[in-house]
Amino acid sequence: MQPQKPKGVVLLGLDGATWSLLSRLERDSRIPTIKRLKSRGAWGRLRSTDPAITGAAWLAIATGLNPGKTGVIDFFRRDRADSLSLRPVSAVDYRGKAFWDLASIEELRYGVMFYPMLYPPYPLQGGFIVSGGIGVPSDEVLSQPPEVRDQLLGLLPSGFRLVVEPRSRIYSDLGRFIEDCAIHIKGLGRISRWLAARLGDIDGLAYVVSVTDWIQHRAWHVIADHPLSSKLGEREYRGRVEELYTMLDEEVICPVVEAAEAEEKLIMMVSDHGFQAHYGVFGLARVLYKHGLLHVHTVRLLRYRLLSMVKGFLRRIGVAEKLRRRVPGGVRKIARTRLEDVIDYSKSDVYLLAHSNLFGAIYFKRKDGELEEAVRRAIIEEAEKHGIKVEVRRREELYSGPLLELLPDLIVIANEYATLVANTFNYPIYKQGVLDKQYTGAHHRDGILLIYGPGVKKAEGINASIYSVAPTVLYAHGLPIPDDVDEPPLKTLIDLGEPRYVKRIAYRIRKLRRTRHR
């Protein structure tokens, strides 16, 4: 008997969702939709990228490719191996490689909603892409085709913010943060109903919700175990924070799930990484500087630290973006703070670039085994002084692919991401406690995976790789899978026969042929 084939795929992304929290909310009957799917489908852990961070992980989910093939390890990337500057990850890094692009080439209609770093939106044959929030430089909704944006703007409630930035100064008041998250979720609920009404007209949907990440960064000490919970306070808000998850389940997830069930589509719920309590900041730049491995321009360093403090304050009080727009370009150039302006590259064979402070990213100007060993010793020595479990991994140990040389030579991870690693000079060698009271949750390698729908075998305790998501989506559509993906589809959970593999260029050739015949 042939297994039932789904009539499409719905990928629901919950940024930063983690079973350590969701399982408790499920027991407390806070998330009935997720509880129902979990009881009927297959679920488990989804191992993230290293580093376990939004920019790299969502790209891996979309493409099935590791950073050695995408050139991306966080929100920024190099375009040349000798470059000292980074550019933001954008739609350029997705286009033509993401599963929705491959499905579109095969004339399937796809909707893509609020996928992180997917900016600017680009035309998708028979479907749509909506950009907004993470990775969009302006606080606005953008879409292709443009008329989709006009429809969505009419749905959004008063006070809706595309990004509820947890470290903004206005959210030192956790109550206000909760209120703005609730308005955001209310707006997403209206968008979910709009999507649900159109699910029968498209073959696939990729819909990412980022508010879960913001809540957990800001309020982990409120809703989960944290070594500083009693000191940080705010536990009286626990019920209100948990209610946000109930709103999310009932207003955002439920309408899409019910529509997907009615249309007999496969539902895949995933997160880019998990979460845990954050504690401590390890100052990598300071370590390398102390051990004479990183050389700086002293006056520039002082200027950098002063301007960074001023800019950080302006961001926290919520006026940085307004000032940036009003200040003339010449003044902005004078006031800019770039780590690469501080480092003396004429003297340093080791250098850092302005990557995220979740992990350490070390580059070498030249291959030198003795220098690499000196860097390792310095990092481990300083980490041991402060009781930090540190991993120093070579890029060749973590990644493979033609873009390997664009990536840092060494990746540094502290306490399995619970301790942040500062690539800048804004922190001492070790800062105890949390980054600040508005940042108490840190990333974890294990995200969530939940699959439900036609042909899915019930299972629990799955251990899957983030690189298996895109191949599984293509497999569920009955499409060939590019042979350069890093993991096969999850055939043990949904068996639709042997997967077909093709060279990625086969999709490009097919696209060219279809374009010529239009």
Side-chain angles (χ1 to χ4, degrees):
M1 182 177 174
Q2 287 285 356
Q4 186 181 359
K5 184 178 183 297
K7 296 178 180 178
V9 178
V10 171
L11 181 86
L12 275 173
L14 302 180
D15 199 302
T18 184
W19 288 127
S20 66
L21 175 61
L22 293 181
S23 294
R24 182 177 63 77
L25 295 174
E26 177 193 342
R27 291 193 298 272
D28 294 342
S29 301
R30 287 283 193 182
I31 47 174
T33 307
I34 294 176
K35 181 178 181 178
R36 177 171 65 84
L37 295 183
K38 192 176 170 188
S39 67
R40 298 180 183 180
W43 64 275
R45 295 181 296 181
L46 191 67
R47 187 74 162 183
S48 187
T49 51
D50 270 317
I53 192 168
T54 294
W58 284 117
L59 183 57
I61 287 171
T63 63
L65 303 175
N66 80 80
K69 297 172 183 175
T70 64
V72 173
I73 55 166
D74 66 341
F75 299 100
F76 305 96
R77 62 162 296 165
R78 294 199 298 181
D79 284 324
R80 300 192 326 272
D82 60 348
S83 176
L84 299 178
S85 61
L86 302 171
R87 68 158 174 86
V89 174
S90 71
V92 171
D93 301 294
Y94 284 90
R95 193 168 188 176
K97 298 186 285 289
F99 62 76
W100 53 79
D101 288 305
L102 305 186
S104 179
I105 291 170
E106 295 290 344
E107 300 189 325
L108 298 186
R109 298 155 299 173
Y110 244 91
V112 185
M113 180 71 68
F114 296 153
Y115 206 95
M117 316 307 291
L118 192 62
Y119 167 85
Y122 53 85
L124 200 60
Q125 184 66 32
F128 59 86
I129 293 179
V130 178
S131 300
I134 304 299
V136 178
S138 57
D139 189 25
E140 61 179 326
V141 176
L142 302 168
S143 73
Q144 284 290 346
E147 55 265 28
V148 173
R149 170 186 181 273
D150 299 334
Q151 294 177 44
L152 295 177
L153 289 179
L155 301 175
L156 300 179
S158 175
F160 179 86
R161 292 172 178 262
L162 274 170
V163 177
V164 184
E165 171 53 54
R167 294 189 67 203
S168 171
R169 184 61 176 263
I170 62 174
Y171 298 134
S172 60
D173 176 358
L174 181 54
R176 181 169 178 182
F177 175 78
I178 293 168
E179 290 170 6
D180 281 358
C181 284
I183 294 171
H184 180 87
I185 292 169
K186 183 179 180 180
L188 293 184
R190 295 179 182 180
I191 290 172
S192 287
R193 290 189 290 276
W194 182 90
L195 289 168
R198 288 157 179 78
L199 210 55
D201 300 326
I202 56 178
D203 300 290
L205 173 68
Y207 180 21
V208 178
V209 174
S210 295
V211 67
T212 37
D213 182 85
W214 310 332
I215 294 169
Q216 289 159 194
H217 275 306
R218 174 63 183 85
W220 189 261
H221 64 293
V222 175
I223 53 175
D225 292 333
H226 194 288
L228 296 179
S229 286
S230 58
K231 181 179 179 181
L232 293 168
E234 301 182 320
R235 296 287 280 192
E236 67 273 17
Y237 288 100
R238 181 166 179 157
R240 289 180 61 190
V241 175
E242 291 179 348
E243 182 59 30
L244 294 175
Y245 287 87
T246 303
M247 284 183 64
L248 184 69
D249 182 280
E250 295 179 348
E251 298 187 28
V252 181
I253 297 172
C254 184
V256 176
V257 165
E258 289 184 346
E261 289 177 298
E263 295 294 335
E264 299 180 41
K265 286 180 165 59
L266 179 73
I267 299 164
M268 293 185 69
M269 189 178 296
V270 301
S271 67
D272 53 335
H273 53 76
F275 251 83
Q276 62 184 322
H278 152 57
Y279 190 91
V281 181
F282 183 54
L284 179 61
R286 292 282 188 160
V287 169
L288 298 178
Y289 180 59
K290 174 184 174 180
H291 287 258
L293 297 164
L294 186 66
H295 299 274
V296 302
H297 299 285
T298 307
V299 174
R300 291 183 188 177
L301 176 59
L302 294 172
R303 175 178 170 275
Y304 169 89
R305 293 184 65 193
L306 177 62
L307 288 173
S308 294
M309 289 171 59
V310 171
K311 288 183 177 181
F313 173 74
L314 294 175
R315 274 195 299 272
R316 288 194 295 274
I317 64 174
V319 301
E321 184 59 27
K322 291 179 182 178
L323 285 176
R324 190 190 69 79
R325 292 172 185 163
R326 294 178 182 177
V327 172
V331 176
R332 286 204 305 270
K333 186 175 181 180
I334 294 170
R336 71 182 179 184
T337 54
R338 301 193 311 171
L339 183 66
E340 52 265 40
D341 292 333
V342 174
I343 297 172
D344 186 344
Y345 293 98
S346 66
K347 297 179 181 177
S348 292
D349 288 325
V350 177
Y351 64 95
L352 305 172
L353 297 178
H355 285 288
S356 308
N357 283 336
L358 176 74
F359 64 97
I362 299 174
Y363 295 87
F364 294 117
K365 280 167 60 176
R366 56 185 173 80
K367 291 291 184 183
D368 185 326
E370 291 184 5
L371 181 62
E372 180 181 321
E373 186 55 35
V375 169
R376 283 178 179 274
R377 281 199 308 271
I379 293 169
I380 293 170
E381 176 187 321
E382 296 296 337
E384 287 179 347
K385 286 180 184 177
H386 300 283
I388 299 170
K389 177 187 173 184
V390 70
E391 301 171 50
V392 184
R393 307 285 300 277
R394 299 179 72 237
R395 64 188 180 193
E396 292 82 3
E397 296 172 335
L398 296 171
Y399 321 118
S400 62
L403 301 183
L404 193 63
E405 289 195 352
L406 299 180
L407 305 179
D409 293 274
L410 295 177
I411 299 290
V412 182
I413 300 163
N415 288 331
E416 296 184 347
Y417 297 113
T419 294
L420 305 184
V421 181
N423 293 292
T424 68
F425 287 93
N426 298 338
Y427 301 93
I429 287 179
Y430 183 64
K431 177 184 185 299
Q432 288 188 328
V434 293
L435 184 66
D436 59 48
K437 188 180 178 181
Q438 293 173 227
Y439 191 103
T440 63
H443 294 184
H444 189 280
R445 282 187 172 105
D446 291 334
I448 71 164
L449 172 68
L450 173 55
I451 305 180
Y452 172 74
V456 174
K457 302 171 185 176
K458 188 175 177 181
E460 60 180 56
I462 302 159
N463 288 300
S465 165
I466 202 166
Y467 304 116
S468 66
V469 176
T472 303
V473 171
L474 294 171
Y475 177 65
H477 280 303
L479 299 178
I481 301 166
D483 64 0
D484 60 350
V485 296
D486 286 285
E487 290 288 340
L490 297 169
K491 190 171 175 290
T492 56
L493 304 181
I494 177 168
D495 190 352
L496 301 172
E498 283 305 308
R500 294 179 294 138
Y501 290 91
V502 296
K503 297 289 184 185
R504 190 171 288 270
I505 196 171
Y507 269 105
R508 296 175 192 160
I509 293 169
R510 191 164 175 79
K511 182 178 181 181
L512 286 172
R513 287 175 178 168
R514 288 192 181 279
T515 303
R516 287 172 185 167
H517 286 93
R518 284 195 184 114

